[in-house]
Amino acid sequence: MSNTNYFEYGEKEKQWLSSRDPALSAAMDEIGHVHREVQPDLFKALINSIVGQQISTKAHVTIWNRMQERFAPITPENFENLRAEDIQTCGISMRKALYIKSIADAVSDGGLDLTLLPAMTDVEISASLVQLKGIGLWTAEMLMIFSMQRPDILSWDDLAIQRGLRMLYRHRKITPKLFAKYKKRYSPHASVASLYLWAIAGGACASLKDCAPAKNRGLKSK
């Protein structure tokens, strides 16, 4: 039996989004259920997110697997006893190694209490996490989706989300005003919409093409 955890959603969320947006409804029907893995362990998810920043998915998986082999278990106590140089040997930059070491130390000494996060609002979680070196709003939002399974996250800073929006609605560019319109439309189930927008951006709907000029098609996503 697999111990893999996936983002949980069902007919309630799909029916809500379908009722609000015919274009998204058609894409959801074509794509089917999206199985996206989540990591319930907040510390492990946080370290994993640092590893994955600004590198390819393949490199991310390779480095993360290597880290889990060398430093298991991935706990604050274990990482507190490591040097940044030890962490760097897995193939990450010294800057990322220092970020990881700093976060582990903050959790171990009580500067960051991860047990308090579930009781916070999305805004409060973001404000708490972005105080840490190496954690920006995008990383905080990804943690809220893929560790905490918060239901209403749509990340402006995720370039693949913007690509999915362009493809679905045939826009050349997603402006802050357009983004706010779609986020409001999807609420309170924006996280599920995000899952489908990532799938669309990855080519899950063959008929949907990116309308942006080629030079503007950067991708940063989960």
Side-chain angles (χ1 to χ4, degrees):
M1 180 179 293
S2 173
N3 292 321
T4 303
N5 295 288
Y6 297 102
F7 190 96
E8 295 180 8
Y9 72 97
E11 288 304 313
K12 180 183 77 171
E13 292 83 2
K14 288 190 287 188
Q15 288 176 7
W16 167 263
L17 291 169
S18 293
S19 71
R20 301 279 289 174
D21 193 300
L24 181 59
S25 178
M28 291 193 297
D29 287 343
E30 181 176 350
I31 294 167
H33 194 90
V34 176
H35 296 276
R36 287 300 298 264
E37 197 170 331
V38 296
Q39 172 52 261
D41 185 312
L42 279 168
F43 179 76
K44 188 180 287 189
L46 199 50
I47 300 308
N48 190 12
S49 71
I50 295 289
V51 172
Q53 289 174 354
Q54 298 181 331
I55 61 175
S56 70
T57 299
K58 183 178 179 180
H60 181 189
V61 170
T62 298
I63 294 169
W64 181 241
N65 287 342
R66 190 180 298 149
M67 188 172 285
Q68 292 187 98
E69 289 170 5
R70 293 184 186 179
F71 304 133
I74 307 293
T75 63
E77 297 76 19
N78 196 17
F79 272 69
E80 185 185 21
N81 295 324
L82 296 172
R83 301 173 305 151
E85 290 80 3
D86 299 325
I87 301 170
Q88 190 188 18
T89 62
C90 289
I92 62 174
S93 67
M94 177 53 74
R95 184 170 65 174
K96 285 187 181 180
L98 289 169
Y99 289 159
I100 290 171
K101 176 64 176 167
S102 175
I103 289 168
D105 290 346
V107 174
S108 293
D109 65 22
L112 173 63
D113 189 344
L114 295 176
T115 65
L116 298 179
L117 295 186
M120 295 182 182
T121 66
D122 295 347
V123 172
E124 290 168 342
I125 291 169
S126 296
S128 176
L129 291 175
V130 298
Q131 295 179 43
L132 298 167
K133 288 183 178 180
I135 303 295
L137 181 57
W138 178 80
T139 300
E141 289 171 333
M142 294 307 103
L143 189 79
M144 284 191 280
I145 294 178
F146 293 110
S147 185
M148 304 178 76
Q149 299 200 53
R150 289 294 173 111
D152 202 26
I153 305 297
L154 190 77
S155 177
W156 164 261
D157 290 321
D158 192 290
L159 298 185
I161 288 290
Q162 292 201 29
R163 184 184 190 202
L165 289 169
R166 290 195 305 267
M167 294 171 69
L168 184 60
Y169 303 110
R170 294 173 170 77
H171 295 302
R172 287 178 60 82
K173 180 180 180 181
I174 299 299
T175 63
K177 184 177 180 179
L178 273 176
F179 182 85
K181 179 182 82 169
Y182 292 124
K183 186 171 185 178
K184 182 178 180 181
R185 181 182 298 177
Y186 300 151
S187 184
H189 301 299
S191 295
V192 174
S194 293
L195 299 183
Y196 283 96
L197 291 169
W198 277 314
I200 290 166
C205 297
S207 64
L208 299 180
K209 307 298 181 185
D210 194 346
C211 298
K215 65 180 181 180
N216 296 333
R217 297 180 187 175
L219 283 177
K220 179 179 84 172
S221 78
K222 292 296 288 183

